[in-house]
């Protein structure tokens, strides 16, 4: 049974930080690139960050590049998203996803096969 379980969301004031985690099971974690996406109320889901299978290659949506850090711990089947200087407009449900295409870092949602249930991040002003 494939599972991606996000955690670490919550309520934070603007300018604050959160560290999201996503623990995977039911598939060969090390064979998949991983990504984080978010969906704000009334908006489409958008790409946030991606990390390669090795954990070395990383890609960020432009608006988060200087503030967010994606990483992975393959021994723990877990990826992380460190979010700093959060903004109210970044209030969203944050999802982790596994990319099965192995075409390299991608921001295309269609390339991601497995998705978590999401964790809510609320940034107050």
């Amino acid at each position: 049974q494939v599972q991606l379980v996000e955690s670490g969301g919550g309520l934070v004031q603007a300018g604050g930080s959160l560290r999201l985690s996503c623990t995977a099971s039911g598939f060969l974690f090390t064979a998949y690139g991983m990504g984080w996406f978010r969906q704000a109320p009334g908006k489409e889901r958008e790409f946030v960050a991606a990390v390669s299978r090795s954990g070395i290659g990383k890609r960020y949506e432009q608006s988060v590049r200087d503030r967010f850090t994606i990483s992975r711990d393959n021994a723990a089947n877990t990826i992380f998203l460190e979010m700093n200087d959060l903004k109210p407009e970044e209030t969203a449900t944050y999802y982790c996803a596994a990319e099965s295409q192995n075409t390299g870092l991608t921001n295309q949602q269609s390339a991601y096969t497995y998705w978590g249930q999401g964790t809510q991040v609320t940034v107050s002003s």
Side-chain angles (χ1 to χ4, degrees), residues 27-103:
F27 64 99
L28 186 60
F29 180 75
T30 55
Y32 289 76
M34 299 291 295
W36 286 98
F37 294 78
R38 65 189 177 192
Q39 186 169 27
K43 295 186 177 181
E44 299 293 324
R45 187 164 57 193
E46 66 176 357
F47 171 79
V48 177
V51 61
S52 66
R53 291 171 292 174
S54 68
I56 297 174
K58 299 177 181 181
R59 178 177 181 173
Y60 298 94
E61 192 275 324
Q62 185 174 355
S63 69
V64 311
R65 186 177 306 276
D66 297 331
R67 298 178 293 113
F68 290 13
T69 302
I70 188 171
S71 61
R72 67 190 295 162
D73 182 350
N74 284 340
N77 284 7
T78 301
I79 66 167
F80 304 93
L81 185 67
E82 299 175 16
M83 305 184 294
N84 298 312
D85 192 22
L86 282 159
K87 304 174 181 180
E89 57 265 36
E90 293 175 314
T91 292
T93 300
Y94 284 69
Y95 300 89
C96 68
E99 189 245 336
S100 62
Q101 307 307 306
N102 292 324
T103 57

